[in-house]
Amino acid sequence: MAARKASSSSSSPASSPVSSAVSSSRRASTSRASRAPASDPELASAPSRASESLGDDLGAAELARRVAENLRRKRKARGMSLDDLGKASGVSRAALSQVETVKTNPTVGLLWKIAVGLGVPFADLIGEAKSGTSVLRRGDAQVLRSLDGKLESRPLTPAGASPLVELYELRLAARASHTSEAHAPGTHEFLVVLSGSLRLRVDEEVHDLLAGDSVSFPADRPHVYENTGSSEARYHNVILYER
């Protein structure tokens, strides 16, 4: 899955003449956003833009907090510095620091890079492992989005339910495509087209699918999801990890 890669605008709204303090705050926010590394376009400009990165405003702050805690804990458990993780994931040290300190909201694409660098399932970054029976209510599942907002990914299984398999519902806008970098070695994906169409590219292979069709492929290679239709497409995405 991988995520949602055209860059969205990071400019701040026009300053309000009502209060100089508000204007100053917005200028400071813009200044902080401008310091985000240019090499990490997956970073949202500020937490207030959560609707374009980690999901809807409701619950996005909690999700960002969980991501920060999980990232910090798993990185330290592996004895990795931010520089070490940066080399393993291809994400800059500054960007990783911003994620760990909840100063920015990463997109699904950036989280995949971090997960690969840590060698953990994607869901380990966004959820809390639980034992016994777990229930995920539809209203509690936080939608993750690509930077351009054209791909949405909603978890269909509770976080920590299994270290080997994850299930997501993907929604891809009409005439849109999403490029995913290679996942961890041995990772496989299964896609079922629920509605609309899908053109899947894996390396040099191209497969066109319609509603009711399914495909499996090695996700440890770069791959692209493309909706060639004139309306939104929906897919079920199963991710299998090698252990």
Side-chain angles (χ1 to χ4, degrees), residues 99-204:
V99 174
E100 278 199 4
T101 54
V102 203
K103 291 181 179 178
T104 189
N105 291 299
T107 64
V108 63
L110 186 61
L111 291 179
W112 262 115
K113 292 180 181 179
I114 295 173
V116 171
L118 287 170
V120 301
F122 181 86
D124 281 10
L125 284 179
I126 65 175
E128 298 173 327
K130 299 177 181 178
S131 59
T133 302
S134 298
V135 175
L136 176 63
R137 304 293 182 187
R138 181 182 179 88
D140 295 334
Q142 283 296 306
V143 175
L144 291 93
R145 295 184 173 91
S146 60
L147 192 61
D148 61 9
K150 294 183 178 181
L151 176 73
E152 294 186 353
S153 175
R154 181 172 68 90
L156 297 181
T157 52
S162 171
L164 302 177
V165 62
E166 296 171 8
L167 176 61
Y168 298 89
E169 177 189 29
L170 305 182
R171 292 176 179 265
L172 187 57
R175 311 294 185 189
S177 65
H178 175 74
T179 300
S180 176
E181 297 184 13
H183 301 333
T187 303
H188 278 74
E189 288 191 27
F190 296 86
L191 282 168
V192 180
V193 181
L194 303 178
S195 64
S197 62
L198 170 67
R199 175 168 292 163
L200 175 69
R201 302 177 187 272
V202 183
D203 290 336
E204 301 302 319

Side-chain angles (χ1 to χ4, degrees), residues 4 42-56 60 63 104-108 111 143-147 149 151:
R4 331 177 192 88
E42 295 293 348
L43 283 176
S45 60
S48 62
R49 300 188 65 85
S51 60
E52 294 185 10
S53 52
L54 281 179
D56 299 328
L63 181 58
T104 189
N105 291 299
T107 64
V108 63
L111 291 179
V143 175
L144 291 93
R145 295 184 173 91
S146 60
L147 192 61
L151 176 73

Side-chain angles (χ1 to χ4, degrees), residues 74-119:
K74 293 180 181 302
R75 176 178 63 80
K76 291 184 176 180
R78 287 159 176 74
M80 300 177 76
S81 66
L82 287 173
D83 289 326
D84 293 334
L85 181 55
K87 293 176 183 178
S89 65
V91 178
S92 75
R93 183 187 191 283
L96 292 170
S97 177
Q98 287 186 346
V99 174
E100 278 199 4
T101 54
V102 203
K103 291 181 179 178
T104 189
N105 291 299
T107 64
V108 63
L110 186 61
L111 291 179
W112 262 115
K113 292 180 181 179
I114 295 173
V116 171
L118 287 170

Side-chain angles (χ1 to χ4, degrees), residues 14-36:
S15 297
S16 169
V18 176
S19 168
S20 60
V22 172
S23 176
S24 174
S25 175
R26 284 174 176 168
R27 286 196 299 271
S29 176
T30 302
S31 175
R32 286 193 299 271
S34 66
R35 291 198 294 269

